[in-house]
Amino acid sequence: MTRPLALAACLMALASPALSDSTELSDTGSCPGCDLTEAAFAGQAFIGANLTGATLEDSDFSTTDLFLAQLDEARADRINLRDASLKAATFVGASLRDADLSGARLKDADITDARFDGAILCNTVMPDGELSRETCQ
């Protein structure tokens, strides 16, 4: 194998874990500890998914159904969860800084110790069932 081809093969091998993590989530509906940075899963259903400790930064999960999903300790800064169903999901210790949760439904979700600094919570149904208009402009 020539050096440029060997280098290309090595680079592809290094890049493949994120691709396989996306495939794992699509195929199994769960992917604890996965790196799903900048992944696009808008409009899909991952009911009961285990995404504990996953990296979801800058990902698009808008209009996704994550009912009963486990996102404890997830790093989901700048994630797009606009209009997502997050009912009864768990976000214990998760980071959702600068996330867009506009129109999301968090009814009965566990957000204990989750960080929402800078998050957009406009028309978001909060865990207690109250509608947040906190960041609506």
Side-chain angles (χ1 to χ4, degrees):
M1 185 181 291
T2 65
R3 285 189 181 214
L5 289 176
L7 179 60
C10 287
L11 291 174
M12 287 177 63
L14 289 173
S16 65
L19 178 60
S20 65
D21 287 350
S22 292
T23 301
E24 181 177 344
L25 179 58
S26 294
D27 291 350
T28 68
S30 287
C31 201
C34 285
D35 182 358
L36 299 169
T37 302
E38 297 182 353
F41 290 106
Q44 296 189 40
F46 297 112
I47 297 168
N50 183 354
L51 293 167
T52 302
T55 301
L56 307 166
E57 294 173 334
D58 301 302
S59 293
D60 184 2
F61 281 79
S62 60
T63 69
T64 297
D65 189 350
L66 289 162
F67 176 67
L68 288 172
Q70 301 167 22
L71 294 109
D72 302 328
E73 301 296 330
R75 291 190 321 253
D77 298 338
R78 298 170 306 281
I79 190 172
N80 181 354
L81 289 167
R82 181 180 282 267
D83 298 317
S85 177
L86 307 167
K87 294 177 184 175
T90 61
F91 293 91
V92 176
S95 178
L96 292 119
R97 292 182 173 111
D98 300 313
D100 186 353
L101 289 112
S102 302
R105 296 165 307 286
L106 286 158
K107 178 111 172 78
D108 298 322
D110 185 351
I111 59 170
T112 304
D113 296 326
R115 295 168 303 282
F116 289 92
D117 305 326
I120 301 170
L121 300 170
C122 181
N123 295 318
T124 303
V125 178
M126 299 306 289
D128 62 2
E130 293 292 316
L131 186 65
S132 172
R133 297 183 195 270
E134 186 175 316
T135 56
C136 295
Q137 296 186 24

